[in-house]
Amino acid sequence: MLCSNVLHEGLTFIFALRMLVKVKCKGEQKYIKISDPTLEVFLNQVFVKFHIEPKDQAGLKVYDESGTEIDDDVFEDVVKDPNCGVLKLKPAEDDGECKMFSQYEQSMAYWAIYGKVFFFTCSLQVIENILQKKPGGDRIIKEYGRTKALTDSSRRQMVNIVVAEMTETHGTTPSRTIREMYAKGIVSLFPNLKDPFSEKGYEHFYDPDSGSGYLAWRIKTIQRKSSEERRSPAHNECNRGPASERDVPEPELSEEQLREAISFMKHASDEEAVRMKMKQTFSSRQKMVHDAQQSPHVLATFPRFADVKGLIEQDFVSLFGEETSAKLLERWPTLFKEKTIRQSKGLSASSIELQELIQAADSPLSGNEDLYGWDSDLSSILLLLHLLPPSAQGRKKPGKMSATQAMGNLVVFRKVRRNSIQGHLDSIVQTRQPYLLAVGTSRRSVHEFFIIVDKMAIPCKATSSLGAFDELFKAHFVFGTEYCESLRNMYTFIQTTIYNIDVGHIRENPRVIELRARFLQ
């Protein structure tokens, strides 16, 4: 009895127990009888029967159903096995990876990476685009065009520019495929840099077999520096932020007095009396905020944040003073808002959502309310997020979250309904960093803002969107909470450039520094 047959692009072989082989190829079916169960005899019979020319025979190998190559020393054992299954004949180099690179090198491809699909132009265009938009890149292209070569210093600068863009886009540990794509792009753009004696010509930039080359060495340097910074004792001093402990006065109250004040605040109806007790317990609360064991219980210990408006502002003033506290509301409308709108109009990646935000920010009395029709002030804050979008987060989180996606980590809108606030809190399934909940009839007509922290809705004292955002920013410092990673660049800009907090003592993304230079010059 013969096994059932399966048709493949190449040759498909179905072995019978009597060593009778049924072969189907290009619509023809023929039987081949093997007198000697060796790989050499088997191949010779197939070549003769199907008239396969000698030039097409080189490199052909036999594989079983699992894709494992069958060598001569095991061929007889495999074909005598009743469960040997279907054997396939194909070139040794015909594997998925080679096909993928062939398609990529021809023009362009869609690659699926971690469930997301990214569009890549050809590798030459990738490198050319990087060098054209980065400082110093144009000079390198012109130097090659003039001399058909690059000096050592220009080559080093080119590698630094390319790797900086690679790690910014794909994280500090980009995949082997990404590294190889960039290496191929370099020798495609600069053909005279290609090594004529190596197999692919770009191994000196990245060799996938050994993991060496200029690109790999530069990536290792970046990884080493990053690791050293994390281990450095002074690292924390150079990376201050909202979670950093601040110098505050010694607590005014004894432990017994503190317990009494906490008990009083939980039951008091006089809001002024609550504010006074909150001011007296400020230092004790800050010590609690920065104690790993006590910090999760701050809001349960001081629940009046949830109903007495203005307590976040009061604690922030105690931390930094009245002058610092007023800076966003003073400086955003008069200086930063207009510059943010102007810079946003020059963004190259212009989406419908971005254009709607620009329109809403630039025209306070008009705008589309259906999608992103926030009022002028909040739209301008969201434009700042587009100017300072999220950065890539390394190998475990490759690629970037878009600025449009990150907007959901900053503000969420809910229409006014019965129990709409509690319904939103009940829908939270995972811990999130503080964000704004806007409740109203439309995004342009918000009745009230809340700051959502640990599934608690803290009402904002401010009724304007800019005032609510001001309180949201301050909540990070009051509760010692890190910035949401996708909003870090935007918040860091506001912290250092507008509030002037921790200037020179916080690590800033180059984009933050560049934008500050544009705004303040």
Side-chain angles (χ1 to χ4, degrees), residues 498-512:
I498 299 179
Y499 286 97
N500 304 135
I501 296 173
D502 296 331
V503 176
H505 298 283
I506 184 172
R507 294 179 63 195
E508 294 178 293
N509 186 287
R511 292 180 182 223
V512 174

Side-chain angles (χ1 to χ4, degrees), residues 237-241 246 320 327 331 492-508 516 520:
E237 283 300 311
C238 295
N239 194 27
R240 293 176 65 80
R246 308 285 165 172
F320 299 105
K327 285 188 174 180
R331 305 179 74 187
T492 300
F493 177 87
I494 292 171
Q495 175 185 332
T496 58
T497 308
I498 299 179
Y499 286 97
N500 304 135
I501 296 173
D502 296 331
V503 176
H505 298 283
I506 184 172
R507 294 179 63 195
E508 294 178 293
R516 178 167 61 241
L520 299 183

Side-chain angles (χ1 to χ4, degrees), residues 264-265 267-274 304:
F264 170 82
M265 287 187 288
H267 303 287
S269 59
D270 185 343
E271 291 191 358
E272 284 304 316
V274 171
R304 301 310 297 269

Side-chain angles (χ1 to χ4, degrees), residues 242-243 433-434 472-484 491:
Q433 303 307 98
L472 171 65
F473 174 83
K474 293 170 179 176
H476 291 81
F477 291 84
V478 169
F479 299 119
T481 303
E482 290 284 3
Y483 298 135
C484 176
Y491 276 137

Side-chain angles (χ1 to χ4, degrees), residues 193 229 323 330 458:
L193 302 185
E229 288 174 356
E323 183 179 349
E330 291 175 348
I458 300 175

Side-chain angles (χ1 to χ4, degrees), residues 412-427 437-443 445-448 450:
V412 173
F413 172 76
R414 288 289 181 271
K415 283 195 173 183
V416 178
R417 293 189 182 92
R418 183 181 178 183
N419 298 325
S420 58
I421 299 171
Q422 188 58 48
H424 176 75
L425 296 177
D426 292 340
S427 70
L437 173 65
V439 179
T441 55
S442 70
R443 288 181 174 86
S445 181
V446 175
H447 300 163
E448 193 170 10
F450 296 85

